[in-house]
Amino acid sequence: MANVLSDEEVDRSLPDGWERDGPEIVRTYEFDDYLDGVMFANAVAEVAEEQQHHPTIVIEFRSVTIRYTTHEVGGITKRDLRSAGLCNDEY
């Protein structure tokens, strides 16, 4: 089972554009139109399925917000940070 990272470990390792929100990491991606955001959310969903680590995804008109946490341990793990970096790769 994964270990919850310390605040310092999370802050040191957050991928570009991501921030901490309590026991989660979060980033909102901006798009020119709704369908671009939907396509991005689909790409993130495919990566999440491959990783077997699924985020909360909120699709709005011109933005998509992604949130990661590891529910089993109640906090942020290396798995969350790795998954966030993969989201950035899809953007």
Side-chain angles (χ1 to χ4, degrees):
M1 180 165 289
N3 295 322
V4 173
L5 299 174
S6 70
D7 291 344
E8 294 80 22
E9 289 172 309
V10 172
D11 292 341
R12 187 174 52 244
S13 303
L14 273 174
D16 289 340
W18 288 79
E19 59 185 44
R20 192 185 174 100
D21 185 16
E24 301 177 319
I25 56 175
V26 61
R27 179 171 178 187
T28 298
Y29 296 86
E30 302 292 332
F31 297 92
D32 290 333
D33 63 50
Y34 179 74
L35 288 180
D36 287 343
V38 170
M39 288 188 295
F40 170 73
N42 282 331
V44 168
E46 287 181 24
V47 169
E49 193 65 17
E50 291 169 8
Q51 297 294 311
Q52 288 299 299
H53 193 55
H54 303 91
T56 297
I57 302 173
V58 177
I59 302 170
E60 297 182 86
F61 178 57
R62 290 190 176 164
S63 66
V64 175
T65 301
I66 309 290
R67 292 181 169 273
Y68 273 104
T69 191
T70 302
H71 296 282
E72 295 85 14
V73 297
I76 301 164
T77 65
K78 289 181 181 178
R79 195 170 188 197
D80 300 308
L81 296 171
R82 181 176 53 251
S83 295
L86 293 172
C87 289
N88 282 0
D89 292 347
E90 292 298 323
Y91 184 61

